[in-house]
Each structure stands twice: as structure tokens, then as C-alpha cells.
Amino acid sequence: MNPIPQSIKAFTRIGEENALTVLARSVELAEQGRDIINLGVGQPDFKTPEHIVEAAIRALRDGHHGYTPFNGILPLREAVARRTLTKTGIEISPDNIMIMPGGKVTMFAAIMMMGEPGAEILYPDPGFPIYRSMIEFTGAKPVPVPILQANDFSFNAKQTLSLINQNTRLIVINSPANPSGGVASRGEIEKLVKGLESHPHVAILSDEIYDTLIYDGQNHVSLLEFPSIRNQLIVLNGWSKTWAMTGWRLGWSIWPDQLLGDIRKFALNGWSCVNAPAQFAGIAAIDGPQDDVEKMLKAFDRRRGIIVEQLNKLPGFRCSTPKGAFYAFPDITQTGWKAKEFATQLLEESGVAIVGGPDFGSLGEGYVRLSYANSIENIEHAIDRIDQFLNR
Ligand code: PLP
């Protein structure tokens, strides 16, 4: 018998999300009895608020066990439209909203739709690793947009626009950003939008999954606020980070009219629909009390202050204050360590899980990402251990 043939060549180009690999290694070490502090994975350490869990249980008891419409139940899409209106002042039709099995699936779908050999796709570097992985999978050329500390960990609009040519099919924007916590300013976004107006052949994927996690009284600027690019714009959002629902696999996206037919077919071919009780939970999350969200945000903000202050006391660490999300992204070049080796050794020897900057792109060299979605006690212990590790 012949062995099964190998998977198609595209699968040799597909990458990984190393934060999840670090998580798997942390679990393995913990199972061996090691005391591990996990600042690696990007998920809230809070439980999903109780009223949201109850809504899912109620939905199951009420018999919502079957398929739902492939684009999501109407009351949930209406809730997303209401939330969008409240947050951005922009009215979106529930027809343009797709309920997705997590935030990630929107980037998967958008990149699959726009990527092919000969096409070019712009993505943030450092940035969420799946952008580049999926771009390479499609055979398109990944074109990194530098996200530099010198630019406050935001894109520079002029530089970004200079990377666009006639082959560019898609540009991925992410603010607040993973892994840097950078938030693009309204001014820079306006400049980018102005430039994109003269490139109507370029679709835009705006990953706004951290839109609630923004500090110092700033308001999130959604690309939805710019009607001139609405026909080019796909917005990625979801419940994972705002309502502490990473394991529910629930997200939404907003699509321009001309891509609706394709995304609907993609959903039908891929996942049929998102699980029904999670969708009812999603309504409760949006329409219910937001006290827990505010409490989480306050807790993240407190931890942000503590982690930045303490990281800056470590020899060789320089950390600017992140403006959003829940990651600190210090520059560790002065320690003399390569970032990935540092992260690996730190986990193996000192039991602290963090992620090396190069896992988010080549411009991440010299940086490490620490998630502060963890208790103050754990953050302080972790920093003590890093200090001891550096002073061995
Ligand atoms: N986009 C960014 C920038 C992220 O950091 C993440 C998760 O870490 C996602 C999307 C994916 O979200 P989800 O867990 O809902 O798939």
C-alpha cells in the first residue's frame, strides 16, 4: 500500500501562533510539577460574566440545538449593529454582519479571498502571526508594514501608502495592536484613509478585536468612521477579549456589499454556522450590564502601570507604556540576549512563559511580549524571577 500523499505544497508555507505553542509547553511543564507563571498567552484571566454564561445555558434548555442561519441569528446581528452604532456612531445593516467562529476566522477568510500568487498583501510587522502565515499559505507576497517603537508602535501612513502598487490586494491594520499595545492616532488613520481613497483596488482588513481595551481616556477610532473607504473595508471584531470569551469561539465581522456573496459561501462551505448557545450568549454580552467589562478594563489598567514600572527596573529592559490591549512589549537588546532564546530559556529555567518578539515578525527582534492579563501577584512574581534570571 502506498502511504497517503503529502498535503499540498501550500501547507509547507503555513505558520504557527507561537503564543499557543508556548502555552502548550507551559502546560506540559506544569504537568511535570513545575511552578509556571504564564504571561505568554493573550487571553483575559477573568471568567466570562455570569449573565452571559446563563444566557447560553438558557438557550440550550430552550432547545436551541440546531443549525442557525449561516450568517448568525438576526437578533445577534442586530445587537452587533446596535453596539457598532453606540461605539462608532455609524449605522450598519445587520445584512452586512457575519457571525463567525472567533475573530481569527475573519482574517482567515479575508486573506483567503484576496490572496493568490501574484497578489501582494500588506500586514503589520511585528503583528499577529496568523496574518503572515495565511498570506504565505495563499501564495501571495507578504509585504511587512513596519510598526516601530519610534512611531509609538503605530504604522506611519506615508510609509505604508508607499508600499502599495497595482498588485496590492489587501492591507491589514490592527489597532490597538498585538503584540505592542500600540494605538494608531486619529491623525495617522486619517492620512492613511485619504491615501487609500486613491487605491480603490485595495481591500482593507481592520482588526479591531481590542477596541474596548484602550486606556488613558482615549477613544478607539474605527475605520468604519470613514465612509469614503466603506466599499473596501472588512472589519474584524469579536467577543474573545472584551467579554473574556476566548474559549467560546465567537466573533463578528462587517463586510462590504460586493464581498457578501463570497463570505456567505465561504461560511457555508466551512462551518455552516456558529454554535447556537454561544450566539445567545453573544446577545447577552452586548445587551447586558457592562460592569464586568469596566472592572476588567480597570484591572488591566492597574496591572499595566505595575508591569511597565517594574520592567523598567530590570537591567537592560526598556518598556514604553502600551496604550491599548493587554501586552507589554519591552526592548531587551541591552540585556545582550536574542529575544527568542531569552523567552525559551526563561520558561525552561525560571518557569515564566513569555513570547519572543520575532514570533510576531522580523521587526520584533530585540523585544519580548508579556501579557498582563494575569494577577498583580503573578506579574510581580514573574518579574522577580526575570530579575533573578538576568542576574544569575
Ligand atoms: N486579532 C488579534 C490581533 C488577536 O490578538 C487575536 C487573538 O489573540 C485575534 C485576532 C483572534 O481572536 P479570537 O480568539 O477571537 O479568534
Side-chain angles (χ1 to χ4, degrees):
M1 289 279 267
N2 286 331
I4 55 165
Q6 295 208 315
S7 52
I8 58 162
K9 221 168 158 192
F11 273 82
T12 61
R13 299 193 299 264
I14 204 162
E16 287 188 49
E17 186 182 343
N18 257 335
L20 297 181
T21 317
V22 170
L23 176 65
R25 180 67 186 144
S26 318
V27 169
E28 213 171 80
L29 289 172
E31 279 168 3
Q32 291 165 17
R34 295 276 308 276
D35 173 22
I36 304 295
I37 304 175
N38 198 331
L39 306 187
V41 72
Q43 69 176 335
D45 56 317
F46 299 98
K47 295 269 179 257
T48 304
E50 199 49 41
H51 69 278
I52 302 177
V53 175
E54 284 304 323
I57 295 170
R58 207 175 321 117
L60 281 173
R61 295 230 163 89
D62 289 348
H64 293 288
H65 303 168
Y67 293 121
T68 76
F70 59 86
N71 52 348
I73 56 176
L74 182 60
L76 180 56
R77 287 182 288 116
E78 286 172 342
V80 170
R82 273 196 301 281
R83 195 243 184 202
T84 307
L85 181 62
T86 314
K87 226 174 140 52
T88 67
I90 303 299
E91 214 161 318
I92 295 292
S93 161
D95 287 346
N96 291 81
I97 294 169
M98 286 288 300
I99 302 304
M100 308 289 274
K104 208 180 233 176
V105 186
T106 295
M107 73 184 72
F108 178 76
I111 296 171
M112 288 291 279
M113 244 180 233
M114 298 299 158
E116 61 183 342
E120 298 189 12
I121 299 183
L122 274 56
Y123 70 100
D125 180 353
F128 191 58
I130 301 305
Y131 306 137
R132 185 185 171 107
S133 166
M134 282 311 301
I135 296 166
E136 291 192 326
F137 182 69
T138 65
K141 178 178 166 194
V143 179
V145 173
I147 303 295
L148 303 178
Q149 187 162 14
N151 284 338
D152 241 1
F153 288 121
S154 168
F155 57 82
N156 172 291
K158 195 166 163 222
Q159 183 187 29
T160 307
L161 291 164
S162 75
L163 298 170
I164 295 178
N165 61 37
Q166 76 278 14
N167 297 323
T168 310
R169 295 291 301 278
L170 177 70
I171 170 171
V172 182
I173 306 291
N174 172 220
S175 172
N178 179 5
S180 63
V183 173
S185 69
R186 181 175 285 278
E188 218 49 36
I189 292 176
E190 280 172 356
K191 278 190 226 160
L192 183 75
V193 167
K194 193 91 207 96
L196 286 170
E197 286 169 12
S198 40
H199 298 293
H201 66 293
V202 178
I204 306 154
L205 172 64
S206 182
D207 182 343
E208 303 186 2
I209 195 108
Y210 294 103
D211 69 349
T212 317
L213 300 176
I214 195 158
Y215 308 104
D216 305 323
Q218 304 169 88
N219 285 320
H220 176 249
V221 182
S222 171
L223 289 206
L224 281 169
E225 292 175 37
F226 303 93
S228 60
I229 53 161
R230 186 73 59 72
N231 287 337
Q232 294 158 262
L233 181 66
I234 304 161
V235 175
L236 178 163
N237 212 323
W239 283 261
S240 293
K241 317 285 176 177
T242 302
W243 291 279
M245 293 176 72
T246 51
W248 294 71
R249 310 312 303 136
L250 189 64
W252 77 80
S253 35
I254 301 170
W255 295 80
D257 289 342
Q258 65 273 31
L259 295 178
L260 274 177
D262 287 343
I263 185 58
R264 286 175 176 170
K265 277 189 284 179
F266 200 67
L268 277 173
N269 279 266
W271 54 90
S272 300
C273 66
V274 174
N275 94 67
Q279 294 193 51
F280 284 88
I283 301 175
I286 291 180
D287 287 347
Q290 302 300 309
D291 321 26
D292 289 311
V293 175
E294 278 156 32
K295 265 191 233 152
M296 285 190 266
L297 188 61
K298 280 206 183 109
F300 290 141
D301 195 10
R302 247 194 334 269
R303 297 162 183 187
R304 178 178 72 124
I306 290 169
I307 198 167
V308 170
E309 190 192 327
Q310 303 212 357
L311 284 171
N312 279 319
K313 289 185 184 153
L314 293 174
F317 272 59
R318 277 189 313 139
C319 186
S320 48
T321 302
K323 294 180 173 165
F326 40 51
Y327 308 109
F329 199 56
D331 174 349
I332 65 155
T333 41
Q334 299 300 315
T335 63
W337 278 91
K338 285 272 192 203
K340 265 188 80 91
E341 283 161 23
F342 180 79
T344 308
Q345 286 304 315
L346 184 71
L347 175 58
E348 297 299 326
E349 288 179 33
S350 303
V352 178
I354 62 173
V355 187
D359 285 334
F360 302 96
S362 57
L363 293 177
E365 184 52 84
Y367 293 87
V368 290
R369 189 192 80 173
L370 298 90
S371 160
Y372 50 88
N374 209 318
S375 66
I376 290 177
E377 197 189 357
N378 279 342
I379 290 170
E380 289 181 334
H381 279 322
I383 298 208
D384 281 347
R385 288 192 197 178
I386 299 175
D387 197 20
Q388 283 162 22
F389 179 83
L390 288 166
N391 289 306
R392 292 168 312 168

